[in-house]
Amino acid sequence: MVEPILQMKKITKKFGSVTALSEVDLAVYPGEIRGLIGENGSGKSTISSIAAGMQKANSGEMIFKNKAWAPQSMIDALDNGIGMVVQESGTIAGITVGESIFLGELDPFTNRLGWVNKKAMFQKATEAMEAIGVTSVTGDMPMSALDFQTRKLVEIAKVVRKNPSILVIDETSTALSHDGREIMYRLIKKFRDDGKAVIFISHDLDEIMEVCDTLTVLRDGNLIRTFTKEEYDANLIRTSMIGRELKGDYYRSDFKATSLDEIALEAKNLKYKEQLKDISLQLKKGEIVGIGGLAGCGMHALGKALFGALPLESGEVVTGTGKKITDPHVAMKQEIGYVSKDRDTESLSLTASIRDNIAIAGMDRFAIGGFLVTAHKESKYVKEQIENLSIKCASPNQSVSQLSGGNKQKVVFGKWIGCGSEILILDCPTRGVDIGVKQAMYQLMVQLKNEGKAILMISEELPELIGMSDRIFIMKDGEMKMEFKRSEMLSDADIIQYMI
């Protein structure tokens, strides 16, 4: 009988009055890719982060390689055999790739006078990136010059470089394009083949069934069941996750492209570096337009440009009434909302409360003259968004940083829906959210479409694009390559040939 490499016994974790984990037992074995799945707030990230030294349990014990395990920090855990790639951004702006990879570990590059040999550090960082299969990133590059996916690959290189015995991947695939995911899949399979272990957290049931050898389901802080590969059954796993069968449509049930005649927003010949090359498109009211492509295709830049957040070299974005969008302030005045893929950096203030994050875009609704905030109206406004979107929280005053990924995303939606946005630019809107929340978001998008709202959805998930969009535009190398109309016959294969 193979001994587990990691045992977690009766792990309990509380955040105030909320119990995130309730006496959870988990054993992970060498040569295993263990999947963790569950709804947002189920405890997946919490139990993994305790093992990886990010936080401490209130009670319970851990045994790693037959010894008591109580890491004092993530650095301590990584140095001693457990490394974690976190769900959200784990890098720091304003430093280089090399400094990010070797943060806190500069001694090998520092001489007696305290001078850091940056050339040697950059070279080692470049080698670390090459070791995971990334040749386009060098150690001297500033992190600010990298997109969200590439920053995530730097995080992976930082952890993998230390060759841990257990690699924890927390919702990382949602930040990666097709190419980035292939790099990650190769790495975790190598870990397994080398007799190490991987804890793989994902909301993508198809992905987790394909990648993982065993699958543990958590719900409301309790371990519900562990499935072996032979026991995998999608419907049974879903029911275990949410404690009930999903009811109602998941994606749209209709297969007809519909919209109103009125144009809501129009892009005219947008140019921005190599990311946008003469891009033009129209978004109509009562329409969901999908934008897809691989990493670097320009689709994320397009979302920012439509919200006025990119300094365009030429071209313009105008509303259906002819108002030119020059910056985010003007966009907000024109009832445009923007949900960024990089949620924690660009869509939320993690140091602020749920109340403040939701209220910030709706000041006109409850502030006298736009400045004097009436507390009663603000509380009512925020409470409505929390209730309408079923945001799980202790109170509106809870820090948004304490929420699960799905509940953070609901806060972002609440911010823009609450203030009455007529145009919504959604960049990877279901990234890092569970199947139940995804369904709720899809149903919300259909409701908004039926109300005459205009939605532009940027997504790296082809099933999502096909399932929700009236029209789909595929981008490659900063250009529009193909447009598809909604159809019951449209498949991944039809689209992907224009992406690669």
Side-chain angles (χ1 to χ4, degrees):
M1 190 76 177
V2 178
E3 288 288 322
I5 189 172
L6 172 69
Q7 294 182 76
M8 305 182 75
K9 300 180 179 181
K10 296 191 178 304
I11 301 297
T12 295
K13 178 66 178 177
K14 294 184 177 183
F15 296 100
S17 61
V18 178
T19 300
L21 293 171
S22 179
E23 296 193 340
V24 171
D25 294 329
L26 181 68
V28 179
Y29 293 84
E32 175 187 37
I33 301 176
R34 169 66 64 91
L36 293 184
I37 197 166
E39 290 191 284
N40 291 113
S42 63
K44 309 178 303 297
S45 296
T46 303
I47 195 163
S48 301
S49 62
I50 289 170
M54 183 187 295
Q55 56 187 330
K56 295 184 182 301
N58 294 104
S59 62
E61 65 173 327
M62 296 185 288
I63 299 171
F64 176 56
K65 293 184 175 179
N66 295 316
K67 294 181 180 179
W69 178 249
Q72 298 304 302
S73 66
M74 292 187 73
I75 293 175
D76 180 30
L78 180 57
D79 285 341
N80 289 284
I82 299 181
M84 182 174 184
V85 182
V86 298
Q87 178 180 348
E88 300 301 338
S89 178
T91 56
I92 299 173
I95 62 177
T96 63
V97 170
E99 289 164 333
S100 184
I101 289 177
F102 292 102
L103 190 65
E105 302 179 68
L106 295 179
D107 286 350
F109 309 106
T110 307
N111 64 19
R112 288 179 299 173
L113 298 177
W115 292 98
V116 176
N117 184 342
K118 289 192 174 183
K119 183 177 180 180
M121 178 182 67
F122 292 156
Q123 178 59 36
K124 286 293 184 182
T126 301
E127 291 172 5
M129 294 304 297
E130 290 174 347
I132 68 166
V134 179
T135 58
S136 59
V137 176
T138 56
D140 59 347
M141 287 183 173
M143 291 296 295
S144 58
L146 307 181
D147 60 21
F148 187 62
Q149 165 181 269
T150 310
R151 295 200 302 273
K152 187 58 65 176
L153 291 172
V154 171
E155 293 177 45
I156 292 174
K158 177 180 176 65
V159 173
V160 170
R161 182 186 67 83
K162 299 300 288 285
N163 199 26
S165 297
I166 298 180
L167 174 65
V168 182
I169 302 286
D170 186 2
E171 282 293 341
T172 299
S173 57
T174 58
L176 303 176
S177 69
H178 179 269
D179 294 341
R181 291 184 189 197
E182 289 302 311
I183 289 171
M184 183 185 67
Y185 295 153
R186 286 198 301 270
L187 284 171
I188 64 177
K189 287 175 182 175
K190 186 177 187 304
F191 265 75
R192 177 187 61 190
D193 295 344
D194 289 345
K196 298 180 179 181
V198 177
I199 298 174
F200 188 82
I201 302 171
S202 175
H203 285 303
D204 187 329
L205 184 53
D206 291 333
E207 175 187 51
I208 211 166
M209 290 171 67
E210 175 68 26
V211 171
C212 299
D213 304 307
T214 50
L215 174 57
T216 294
V217 177
L218 290 113
R219 185 172 75 236
D220 297 330
N222 295 284
L223 193 152
I224 302 302
R225 177 175 172 178
T226 294
F227 294 83
T228 64
K229 194 92 170 178
E230 294 75 24
E231 296 172 324
Y232 285 179
D233 177 280
N235 289 328
L236 184 55
I237 294 170
R238 289 192 188 99
T239 301
S240 298
M241 287 167 56
I242 63 178
R244 66 189 189 281
E245 291 187 17
L246 287 170
K247 296 186 181 297
D249 294 331
Y250 189 64
Y251 297 127
R252 286 168 60 181
S253 58
D254 67 284
F255 294 99
K256 185 178 180 181
T258 59
S259 69
L260 302 178
D261 293 333
E262 190 176 349
I263 294 172
L265 195 66
E266 184 172 8
K268 300 179 179 180
N269 308 109
L270 306 186
K271 292 183 180 179
Y272 177 74
K273 299 182 179 179
E274 293 298 307
Q275 299 178 51
L276 301 175
K277 301 175 182 176
D278 199 30
I279 296 293
S280 297
L281 65 83
Q282 291 181 339
L283 174 64
K284 294 182 178 180
K285 293 186 176 182
E287 179 181 42
I288 300 174
V289 168
I291 308 290
L294 300 179
C297 70
M299 59 183 179
H300 304 300
L302 176 60
K304 293 179 187 291
L306 294 175
F307 191 58
L310 276 188
L312 294 170
E313 295 166 9
S314 62
E316 63 179 5
V317 179
V318 295
T319 66
T321 58
K323 181 67 176 181
K324 187 174 179 180
I325 304 302
T326 54
D327 58 56
H329 180 71
V330 172
M332 292 173 64
K333 287 291 185 182
Q334 295 303 307
E335 298 181 318
I336 301 175
Y338 170 63
V339 176
S340 170
K341 177 183 179 181
D342 194 351
R343 179 174 56 223
D344 280 10
T345 302
E346 297 178 349
S347 288
L348 293 170
S349 173
L350 294 182
T351 59
S353 66
I354 297 166
R355 176 195 299 273
D356 292 342
N357 273 279
I358 290 177
I360 188 67
M363 297 287 282
D364 292 344
R365 301 256 166 162
F366 52 78
I368 300 173
F371 295 100
L372 181 60
V373 175
T374 54
H376 174 70
K377 288 185 177 179
E378 181 192 40
S379 295
K380 182 181 178 183
Y381 174 89
V382 171
K383 184 179 178 183
E384 284 177 357
Q385 307 318 312
I386 290 173
E387 291 178 349
N388 291 342
L389 292 167
S390 301
I391 299 171
K392 293 180 180 178
C393 59
S395 79
N397 296 318
Q398 183 179 359
S399 172
V400 78
S401 64
Q402 295 178 351
L403 299 181
S404 64
N407 284 301
K408 285 180 182 177
Q409 194 72 330
K410 287 181 180 181
V411 171
V412 179
F413 267 68
K415 175 171 69 175
W416 296 119
I417 293 171
C419 68
S421 299
E422 290 294 321
I423 301 168
L424 287 167
I425 301 163
L426 310 178
D427 193 344
C428 298
T430 63
R431 184 180 75 81
V433 305
D434 64 62
I435 190 170
V437 175
K438 273 190 177 183
Q439 182 187 43
M441 287 184 172
Y442 294 148
Q443 291 174 347
L444 177 61
M445 288 169 64
V446 171
Q447 175 189 325
L448 295 171
K449 167 187 162 64
N450 292 337
E451 292 173 358
K453 306 287 198 295
I455 299 173
L456 185 130
M457 179 180 67
I458 300 162
S459 177
E460 294 161 356
E461 308 289 339
L462 288 180
E464 183 172 75
L465 288 169
I466 294 170
M468 295 303 299
S469 306
D470 293 293
R471 293 184 292 148
I472 300 171
F473 290 92
I474 297 302
M475 293 185 66
K476 181 181 178 183
D477 298 330
E479 300 176 341
M480 290 293 191
K481 289 298 182 181
M482 182 58 66
E483 177 184 355
F484 295 91
K485 288 264 181 83
R486 184 167 187 78
S487 167
E488 188 173 3
M489 305 305 294
L490 187 60
S491 69
D492 292 12
D494 297 325
I495 294 176
I496 200 166
Q497 60 180 309
Y498 296 97
M499 297 169 60
I500 298 174

